Every structure is written in structure tokens, then in C-alpha cells.
Amino acid sequence: MGNSVLALRTQQISESKREFKARGSKLARCETCLLAEPLCICAGVKQAQCSSAVCLLMYHNESFKPSNTGRLIADIVPDNHAFRWDRTEPDSALIALLENPQYQPIIVFPKDNVEPQRVIKKVHREATKKPLYIFLDGTWREAKKMFRKSPYLDKFPVLSISPQSMSNYKLRVAPHEHQLGTAEVACIVLAENGESEAAENLTEHFIDFRDAYLRGKRSKFIEA
């Protein structure tokens, strides 16, 4: 399976009536990693053997953003899916995925304001089913909106990352101590639930992306 986030991006571009322009839109970018062409990191991507699946539920224009890290997860985990979030008309393919008996859907989200009976700290795999980790990909405010206004997710357990796990994670680049980017959260979730190869590969990929992205911001490649 390819990168579902890039496939979603291509689909949204083809359907869009107005071009989405992120900061640095005039920059010549690699069409895969979306970094400036001289900073491309695609050669270093190492897909992992992974017995889990991931689903990126992406807020509106999130798939367009070069800074988005959700697509890094889709580079590493072979069984990956991405959908644009819609409050009233969710993608029928998303609903079919959630109802597929081959998968065990699990929402990755902080436990605050979640019914205690839904919160789990560790995944106990169901026989014959593959864990499907659902990441709500957007800003923190957007993720909270998606969580509150997606009734089709209400029946699934919520996997919450502990403060201890966050403090042990050394790559944090979010502006607030309690926040992590989507890929950073996925690194912890995979590591703590038996997917060490995927966690290691994703961590390396995230470091490469973060460093290249920051180099681009400091150089002539990114316009002010």
C-alpha cells in the first residue's frame, strides 16, 4: 500500500475549486516529502514490518500542509488509510473501514474530558483482529472538534498517552509541554504497543523531516 495521505492530497487538489497555498507555496518541492527539492529525505524512508494499521482522520486542508507529520506515519506503516474529516457526511470508505471485522479501531486522544470507561492505557489485541490506530490530524483545537463531533467514533476505546511517556520522549518540538505532533504521538503509541520496528523507523524519519524542515526555514529555500 502507498502513502494514503499523499493520495488524499492528490484527490483534494483534483476536486478543489480554489488552489490551497501554504506558506512557501512558490517553492520547488519534492512531490513526496513536500520539502524543498535540495532537502528531500525520500531516500532514507524505511517502511516497517508492522502488524498494526493506522487511520489519519484529517481536518479540512491538513493534507496540503508541508509541515504536516501525519504523512510520515503513512510512509512507515504499510497498512495506512487517510480521510478528510466531515462532520455531517463522513466518507463511506471510512465507515466501511471502521466496520471491517478484520480491524480493531482505537482512537488515540488525550483522556481529559473522555468518559473514563472508554479510556485504555494499553491495547489488548483481539483474536484475528489488527489494531487500527485512529489519529485525529489537525491543530489541537481542530482535533478536539473532530473528537466531539464524530458520532461514528463514539463506540470505540480511547488510547491515552501518559504524562510519563510524554516526558520520556526526547524529540518534543511542540510549543507547549503537554502537546506532541501527530508523528510524535504515533512513535510513542507504536513503541508502547509492540511495534518496535515501526516506532524506531518512524522516529528516525521524523528526525530527518524535522531537521530538514528547520534547515529550510533558516535558509533561502523558504520564502518569508
Side-chain angles (χ1 to χ4, degrees), residues 62-83:
E62 191 65 32
S63 67
F64 290 117
K65 297 178 181 178
S67 59
N68 173 266
T69 64
R71 69 175 180 279
L72 304 181
I73 308 170
D75 280 336
I76 302 302
V77 178
D79 193 348
N80 64 85
H81 310 262
F83 302 93

PDB file of all heavy atoms in Angstrom, residues 62-83:
ATOM      1  N   GLU A  62      -5.545  19.878   6.010  1.00  0.00           N
ATOM      2  CA  GLU A  62      -4.337  19.392   6.676  1.00  0.00           C
ATOM      3  C   GLU A  62      -3.414  18.640   5.721  1.00  0.00           C
ATOM      4  O   GLU A  62      -2.185  18.745   5.816  1.00  0.00           O
ATOM      5  CB  GLU A  62      -4.716  18.500   7.857  1.00  0.00           C
ATOM      6  CG  GLU A  62      -3.555  18.150   8.764  1.00  0.00           C
ATOM      7  CD  GLU A  62      -2.953  19.346   9.488  1.00  0.00           C
ATOM      8  OE1 GLU A  62      -3.714  20.297   9.794  1.00  0.00           O
ATOM      9  OE2 GLU A  62      -1.735  19.325   9.740  1.00  0.00           O
ATOM     10  N   SER A  63      -3.968  17.891   4.784  1.00  0.00           N
ATOM     11  CA  SER A  63      -3.124  17.092   3.885  1.00  0.00           C
ATOM     12  C   SER A  63      -2.293  17.953   2.946  1.00  0.00           C
ATOM     13  O   SER A  63      -1.306  17.484   2.378  1.00  0.00           O
ATOM     14  CB  SER A  63      -3.992  16.127   3.060  1.00  0.00           C
ATOM     15  OG  SER A  63      -4.815  16.836   2.152  1.00  0.00           O
ATOM     16  N   PHE A  64      -2.670  19.227   2.764  1.00  0.00           N
ATOM     17  CA  PHE A  64      -1.926  20.114   1.882  1.00  0.00           C
ATOM     18  C   PHE A  64      -0.659  20.663   2.536  1.00  0.00           C
ATOM     19  O   PHE A  64       0.269  21.076   1.849  1.00  0.00           O
ATOM     20  CB  PHE A  64      -2.789  21.310   1.464  1.00  0.00           C
ATOM     21  CG  PHE A  64      -3.917  20.968   0.533  1.00  0.00           C
ATOM     22  CD1 PHE A  64      -5.231  21.150   0.919  1.00  0.00           C
ATOM     23  CD2 PHE A  64      -3.671  20.478  -0.737  1.00  0.00           C
ATOM     24  CE1 PHE A  64      -6.281  20.853   0.070  1.00  0.00           C
ATOM     25  CE2 PHE A  64      -4.712  20.170  -1.594  1.00  0.00           C
ATOM     26  CZ  PHE A  64      -6.019  20.352  -1.196  1.00  0.00           C
ATOM     27  N   LYS A  65      -0.627  20.706   3.848  1.00  0.00           N
ATOM     28  CA  LYS A  65       0.418  21.445   4.554  1.00  0.00           C
ATOM     29  C   LYS A  65       1.770  20.722   4.505  1.00  0.00           C
ATOM     30  O   LYS A  65       1.868  19.566   4.934  1.00  0.00           O
ATOM     31  CB  LYS A  65       0.007  21.651   6.009  1.00  0.00           C
ATOM     32  CG  LYS A  65      -1.253  22.492   6.175  1.00  0.00           C
ATOM     33  CD  LYS A  65      -1.644  22.616   7.631  1.00  0.00           C
ATOM     34  CE  LYS A  65      -2.925  23.427   7.805  1.00  0.00           C
ATOM     35  NZ  LYS A  65      -3.344  23.508   9.220  1.00  0.00           N
ATOM     36  N   PRO A  66       2.814  21.389   4.012  1.00  0.00           N
ATOM     37  CA  PRO A  66       4.141  20.768   4.009  1.00  0.00           C
ATOM     38  C   PRO A  66       4.630  20.405   5.409  1.00  0.00           C
ATOM     39  O   PRO A  66       5.444  19.498   5.566  1.00  0.00           O
ATOM     40  CB  PRO A  66       5.025  21.852   3.384  1.00  0.00           C
ATOM     41  CG  PRO A  66       4.102  22.676   2.562  1.00  0.00           C
ATOM     42  CD  PRO A  66       2.810  22.706   3.345  1.00  0.00           C
ATOM     43  N   SER A  67       4.130  21.110   6.433  1.00  0.00           N
ATOM     44  CA  SER A  67       4.564  20.848   7.809  1.00  0.00           C
ATOM     45  C   SER A  67       3.841  19.674   8.447  1.00  0.00           C
ATOM     46  O   SER A  67       4.204  19.254   9.556  1.00  0.00           O
ATOM     47  CB  SER A  67       4.344  22.100   8.665  1.00  0.00           C
ATOM     48  OG  SER A  67       2.971  22.471   8.658  1.00  0.00           O
ATOM     49  N   ASN A  68       2.844  19.126   7.785  1.00  0.00           N
ATOM     50  CA  ASN A  68       2.078  18.025   8.367  1.00  0.00           C
ATOM     51  C   ASN A  68       2.957  16.800   8.586  1.00  0.00           C
ATOM     52  O   ASN A  68       3.728  16.413   7.697  1.00  0.00           O
ATOM     53  CB  ASN A  68       0.910  17.670   7.454  1.00  0.00           C
ATOM     54  CG  ASN A  68       0.174  16.424   7.917  1.00  0.00           C
ATOM     55  OD1 ASN A  68       0.475  15.329   7.445  1.00  0.00           O
ATOM     56  ND2 ASN A  68      -0.747  16.577   8.821  1.00  0.00           N
ATOM     57  N   THR A  69       2.842  16.165   9.751  1.00  0.00           N
ATOM     58  CA  THR A  69       3.651  14.972  10.030  1.00  0.00           C
ATOM     59  C   THR A  69       2.849  13.680   9.957  1.00  0.00           C
ATOM     60  O   THR A  69       3.411  12.597  10.075  1.00  0.00           O
ATOM     61  CB  THR A  69       4.315  15.065  11.419  1.00  0.00           C
ATOM     62  OG1 THR A  69       3.310  15.085  12.439  1.00  0.00           O
ATOM     63  CG2 THR A  69       5.182  16.307  11.527  1.00  0.00           C
ATOM     64  N   GLY A  70       1.535  13.785   9.762  1.00  0.00           N
ATOM     65  CA  GLY A  70       0.738  12.572   9.646  1.00  0.00           C
ATOM     66  C   GLY A  70       1.186  11.703   8.482  1.00  0.00           C
ATOM     67  O   GLY A  70       1.185  10.464   8.575  1.00  0.00           O
ATOM     68  N   ARG A  71       1.596  12.345   7.396  1.00  0.00           N
ATOM     69  CA  ARG A  71       2.009  11.549   6.229  1.00  0.00           C
ATOM     70  C   ARG A  71       3.296  10.776   6.489  1.00  0.00           C
ATOM     71  O   ARG A  71       3.576   9.781   5.813  1.00  0.00           O
ATOM     72  CB  ARG A  71       2.166  12.429   4.996  1.00  0.00           C
ATOM     73  CG  ARG A  71       3.318  13.383   5.020  1.00  0.00           C
ATOM     74  CD  ARG A  71       3.447  14.136   3.686  1.00  0.00           C
ATOM     75  NE  ARG A  71       4.563  15.056   3.732  1.00  0.00           N
ATOM     76  CZ  ARG A  71       4.511  16.261   4.295  1.00  0.00           C
ATOM     77  NH1 ARG A  71       3.376  16.685   4.828  1.00  0.00           N
ATOM     78  NH2 ARG A  71       5.569  17.040   4.331  1.00  0.00           N
ATOM     79  N   LEU A  72       4.092  11.194   7.493  1.00  0.00           N
ATOM     80  CA  LEU A  72       5.288  10.437   7.843  1.00  0.00           C
ATOM     81  C   LEU A  72       4.911   9.051   8.368  1.00  0.00           C
ATOM     82  O   LEU A  72       5.607   8.062   8.107  1.00  0.00           O
ATOM     83  CB  LEU A  72       6.101  11.187   8.904  1.00  0.00           C
ATOM     84  CG  LEU A  72       6.542  12.615   8.580  1.00  0.00           C
ATOM     85  CD1 LEU A  72       7.344  13.187   9.738  1.00  0.00           C
ATOM     86  CD2 LEU A  72       7.347  12.671   7.291  1.00  0.00           C
ATOM     87  N   ILE A  73       3.808   8.994   9.115  1.00  0.00           N
ATOM     88  CA  ILE A  73       3.332   7.704   9.631  1.00  0.00           C
ATOM     89  C   ILE A  73       2.981   6.781   8.469  1.00  0.00           C
ATOM     90  O   ILE A  73       3.308   5.594   8.473  1.00  0.00           O
ATOM     91  CB  ILE A  73       2.108   7.901  10.539  1.00  0.00           C
ATOM     92  CG1 ILE A  73       2.379   8.951  11.615  1.00  0.00           C
ATOM     93  CG2 ILE A  73       1.686   6.583  11.184  1.00  0.00           C
ATOM     94  CD1 ILE A  73       1.138   9.369  12.390  1.00  0.00           C
ATOM     95  N   ALA A  74       2.310   7.340   7.465  1.00  0.00           N
ATOM     96  CA  ALA A  74       1.898   6.548   6.302  1.00  0.00           C
ATOM     97  C   ALA A  74       3.092   6.097   5.476  1.00  0.00           C
ATOM     98  O   ALA A  74       2.995   5.118   4.723  1.00  0.00           O
ATOM     99  CB  ALA A  74       0.930   7.355   5.438  1.00  0.00           C
ATOM    100  N   ASP A  75       4.220   6.784   5.589  1.00  0.00           N
ATOM    101  CA  ASP A  75       5.449   6.329   4.921  1.00  0.00           C
ATOM    102  C   ASP A  75       5.973   5.041   5.544  1.00  0.00           C
ATOM    103  O   ASP A  75       6.596   4.218   4.866  1.00  0.00           O
ATOM    104  CB  ASP A  75       6.554   7.396   5.043  1.00  0.00           C
ATOM    105  CG  ASP A  75       6.406   8.530   4.047  1.00  0.00           C
ATOM    106  OD1 ASP A  75       5.766   8.328   2.991  1.00  0.00           O
ATOM    107  OD2 ASP A  75       6.943   9.626   4.321  1.00  0.00           O
ATOM    108  N   ILE A  76       5.753   4.875   6.837  1.00  0.00           N
ATOM    109  CA  ILE A  76       6.396   3.798   7.604  1.00  0.00           C
ATOM    110  C   ILE A  76       5.480   2.590   7.806  1.00  0.00           C
ATOM    111  O   ILE A  76       5.917   1.436   7.696  1.00  0.00           O
ATOM    112  CB  ILE A  76       6.859   4.326   8.982  1.00  0.00           C
ATOM    113  CG1 ILE A  76       7.823   5.511   8.811  1.00  0.00           C
ATOM    114  CG2 ILE A  76       7.502   3.207   9.800  1.00  0.00           C
ATOM    115  CD1 ILE A  76       9.064   5.209   7.992  1.00  0.00           C
ATOM    116  N   VAL A  77       4.206   2.826   8.118  1.00  0.00           N
ATOM    117  CA  VAL A  77       3.266   1.733   8.396  1.00  0.00           C
ATOM    118  C   VAL A  77       2.566   1.338   7.089  1.00  0.00           C
ATOM    119  O   VAL A  77       1.829   2.146   6.520  1.00  0.00           O
ATOM    120  CB  VAL A  77       2.225   2.160   9.449  1.00  0.00           C
ATOM    121  CG1 VAL A  77       1.227   1.039   9.701  1.00  0.00           C
ATOM    122  CG2 VAL A  77       2.927   2.564  10.749  1.00  0.00           C
ATOM    123  N   PRO A  78       2.784   0.116   6.602  1.00  0.00           N
ATOM    124  CA  PRO A  78       2.239  -0.264   5.290  1.00  0.00           C
ATOM    125  C   PRO A  78       0.721  -0.174   5.197  1.00  0.00           C
ATOM    126  O   PRO A  78       0.186   0.277   4.176  1.00  0.00           O
ATOM    127  CB  PRO A  78       2.717  -1.715   5.117  1.00  0.00           C
ATOM    128  CG  PRO A  78       3.928  -1.819   5.991  1.00  0.00           C
ATOM    129  CD  PRO A  78       3.644  -0.936   7.174  1.00  0.00           C
ATOM    130  N   ASP A  79       0.013  -0.606   6.236  1.00  0.00           N
ATOM    131  CA  ASP A  79      -1.452  -0.597   6.213  1.00  0.00           C
ATOM    132  C   ASP A  79      -1.925   0.740   6.751  1.00  0.00           C
ATOM    133  O   ASP A  79      -2.178   0.912   7.945  1.00  0.00           O
ATOM    134  CB  ASP A  79      -1.991  -1.757   7.053  1.00  0.00           C
ATOM    135  CG  ASP A  79      -3.482  -1.999   6.829  1.00  0.00           C
ATOM    136  OD1 ASP A  79      -4.139  -1.141   6.205  1.00  0.00           O
ATOM    137  OD2 ASP A  79      -3.986  -3.043   7.289  1.00  0.00           O
ATOM    138  N   ASN A  80      -2.019   1.729   5.855  1.00  0.00           N
ATOM    139  CA  ASN A  80      -2.378   3.077   6.274  1.00  0.00           C
ATOM    140  C   ASN A  80      -3.554   3.603   5.464  1.00  0.00           C
ATOM    141  O   ASN A  80      -3.720   3.280   4.298  1.00  0.00           O
ATOM    142  CB  ASN A  80      -1.173   4.008   6.169  1.00  0.00           C
ATOM    143  CG  ASN A  80      -0.686   4.169   4.731  1.00  0.00           C
ATOM    144  OD1 ASN A  80      -1.195   5.004   3.966  1.00  0.00           O
ATOM    145  ND2 ASN A  80       0.307   3.371   4.342  1.00  0.00           N
ATOM    146  N   HIS A  81      -4.364   4.438   6.103  1.00  0.00           N
ATOM    147  CA  HIS A  81      -5.579   4.986   5.494  1.00  0.00           C
ATOM    148  C   HIS A  81      -5.700   6.447   5.905  1.00  0.00           C
ATOM    149  O   HIS A  81      -5.351   6.816   7.032  1.00  0.00           O
ATOM    150  CB  HIS A  81      -6.811   4.210   5.967  1.00  0.00           C
ATOM    151  CG  HIS A  81      -6.685   2.729   5.835  1.00  0.00           C
ATOM    152  ND1 HIS A  81      -7.203   2.033   4.771  1.00  0.00           N
ATOM    153  CD2 HIS A  81      -6.069   1.813   6.655  1.00  0.00           C
ATOM    154  CE1 HIS A  81      -6.924   0.739   4.926  1.00  0.00           C
ATOM    155  NE2 HIS A  81      -6.245   0.580   6.050  1.00  0.00           N
ATOM    156  N   ALA A  82      -6.198   7.288   5.015  1.00  0.00           N
ATOM    157  CA  ALA A  82      -6.369   8.707   5.324  1.00  0.00           C
ATOM    158  C   ALA A  82      -7.675   9.203   4.721  1.00  0.00           C
ATOM    159  O   ALA A  82      -8.024   8.862   3.585  1.00  0.00           O
ATOM    160  CB  ALA A  82      -5.200   9.523   4.795  1.00  0.00           C
ATOM    161  N   PHE A  83      -8.386  10.028   5.507  1.00  0.00           N
ATOM    162  CA  PHE A  83      -9.672  10.574   5.068  1.00  0.00           C
ATOM    163  C   PHE A  83      -9.786  12.022   5.525  1.00  0.00           C
ATOM    164  O   PHE A  83      -9.284  12.392   6.586  1.00  0.00           O
ATOM    165  CB  PHE A  83     -10.838   9.771   5.654  1.00  0.00           C
ATOM    166  CG  PHE A  83     -10.806   8.317   5.311  1.00  0.00           C
ATOM    167  CD1 PHE A  83     -10.197   7.404   6.168  1.00  0.00           C
ATOM    168  CD2 PHE A  83     -11.363   7.862   4.123  1.00  0.00           C
ATOM    169  CE1 PHE A  83     -10.163   6.051   5.845  1.00  0.00           C
ATOM    170  CE2 PHE A  83     -11.335   6.513   3.794  1.00  0.00           C
ATOM    171  CZ  PHE A  83     -10.728   5.611   4.645  1.00  0.00           C
TER     172      PHE A  83
END
